[in-house]
Amino acid sequence: MQLLFTNFNYQATFNSFLFTGVLLICASEHEERKGDTFQSPDKNTDTITKEKRNYTRAHDRILVTPRKKVKKTESKRISSRPRSDISCIRLGGICQPKRYICQGRYLHDKCSGSKTRHCCMPVGAWSGFCAGHHNNRVRACDSHGCGAFNSKRGNGLHKAVDLVCDEYGAVNAPFSGYLDGPVIQKDPTGIQYDGVKLLNDVHCVKILNIRPYRYHGPVAQGEAFGYVLPLQERFSGITSHLELQMCDGTDPSPFI
């Protein structure tokens, strides 16, 4: 009887130890699983955090990237006005505000200073064309018409000025400039008038009914560069003259 009780106690103790061991093993596995469970989110969290930081840094780099400094180059207006009045003075003019009366004609961009200052060219600024005449005299009316600018000529207007000159008389340059080739003009009757173009930085004129000594090259003011062709053979009673035209068709009267 006592032996049976002893075996029973031994068996119970053994079973108790066995149950405790099982519990310990289960508890250990549970802790490991719990550790894995908590560890995995941490890793994911770290990964997500790192990715977020990288994105933030990249995003910050995009936002913080300094803009290239664009140099503001203001367009500087280069004034075309001369630094002195010498160009006007050489032409025989005087620089003055345009509000003042000019007996001749104003030329632009020849004077320094304010934009209101212009070069006033006085009447008779050009020297005489025709040798033997002290001044330039416009041809009066005769049986063949009048020599003034815009005078009636046939069905139109005379867009030139006729200056009285002697036949075969020398023609002098009214200003210093360059001879720039021959000029030819025909009237309705088919008669051809020869001439030459004279120009400088300010003026450009066509001088007709003359025979130039040359058609090209420089010429000084007062220098003879041709002679007047005769008209009496073709137009009996006409006043001998040369014809003066501005290249732009304006009236040359203020200069002569």
Side-chain angles (χ1 to χ4, degrees):
M1 184 72 179
Q2 187 177 0
L3 181 61
L4 290 172
F5 181 76
T6 302
N7 290 335
F8 176 77
N9 289 336
Y10 176 77
Q11 188 67 31
T13 302
F14 177 77
N15 291 334
S16 176
F17 278 112
L18 182 62
F19 180 74
T20 302
V22 172
L23 288 176
L24 292 173
I25 291 172
C26 290
S28 176
E29 290 180 356
H30 178 70
E31 291 293 334
E32 289 179 359
R33 290 178 181 176
K34 185 178 179 180
D36 292 339
T37 301
F38 284 102
Q39 185 177 2
S40 179
D42 290 342
K43 291 182 179 179
N44 292 335
T45 302
D46 292 340
T47 303
I48 293 171
T49 302
K50 289 179 180 179
E51 291 178 356
K52 187 175 181 181
R53 286 177 180 174
N54 293 335
Y55 171 77
T56 303
R57 289 174 182 173
H59 186 63
D60 289 342
R61 282 197 297 269
I62 295 174
L63 294 178
V64 176
T65 301
R67 296 181 180 179
K68 294 182 179 180
K69 295 182 179 179
V70 180
K71 294 182 179 179
K72 295 181 179 180
T73 55
E74 297 180 357
S75 57
K76 296 181 179 179
R77 295 181 180 179
I78 301 175
S79 176
S80 60
R81 297 188 65 80
R83 295 181 180 180
S84 68
D85 300 342
I86 189 65
S87 58
C88 175
I89 296 171
R90 285 177 177 174
L91 296 171
I94 181 173
C95 289
Q96 64 183 29
K98 199 172 182 180
R99 67 178 181 272
Y100 296 158
I101 296 175
C102 178
Q103 298 295 334
R105 180 182 180 184
Y106 274 117
L107 300 178
H108 301 283
D109 300 327
K110 298 297 177 185
C111 298
S112 61
S114 174
K115 293 181 180 180
T116 60
R117 299 181 76 240
H118 298 286
C119 182
C120 174
M121 298 293 293
V123 177
W126 293 352
S127 62
F129 278 82
C130 305
H133 295 262
H134 299 291
N135 52 22
N136 296 311
R137 184 164 61 92
V138 179
R139 169 191 164 208
C141 298
D142 53 35
S143 59
H144 297 278
C146 303
F149 186 79
N150 271 345
S151 59
K152 189 175 180 180
R153 242 349 131 75
N155 295 327
L157 297 176
H158 185 47
K159 294 297 182 180
V161 172
D162 298 339
L163 300 181
V164 177
C165 297
D166 299 329
E167 292 185 352
Y168 299 104
V171 179
N172 303 320
F175 54 81
S176 297
Y178 295 88
L179 298 175
D180 191 35
V183 176
I184 298 173
Q185 183 183 31
K186 291 183 179 180
D187 64 11
T189 62
I191 297 176
Q192 179 173 303
Y193 300 92
D194 296 329
V196 68
K197 184 187 292 184
L198 174 64
L199 55 85
N200 62 13
D201 294 337
V202 179
H203 307 294
C204 177
V205 296
K206 298 175 183 179
I207 307 169
L208 295 161
N209 197 40
I210 70 168
R211 180 61 49 80
Y213 301 139
R214 64 183 189 277
Y215 290 98
H216 296 277
V219 61
Q221 184 177 19
E223 178 184 349
F225 64 93
Y227 61 89
V228 180
L229 294 173
L231 292 173
Q232 296 293 335
E233 295 177 1
R234 288 178 288 183
F235 305 99
S236 178
I238 194 171
T239 304
S240 297
H241 65 273
L242 62 79
E243 185 175 325
L244 181 65
Q245 297 179 4
M246 300 294 283
C247 296
D248 59 0
T250 57
D251 185 4
S253 300
F255 301 105
I256 58 176

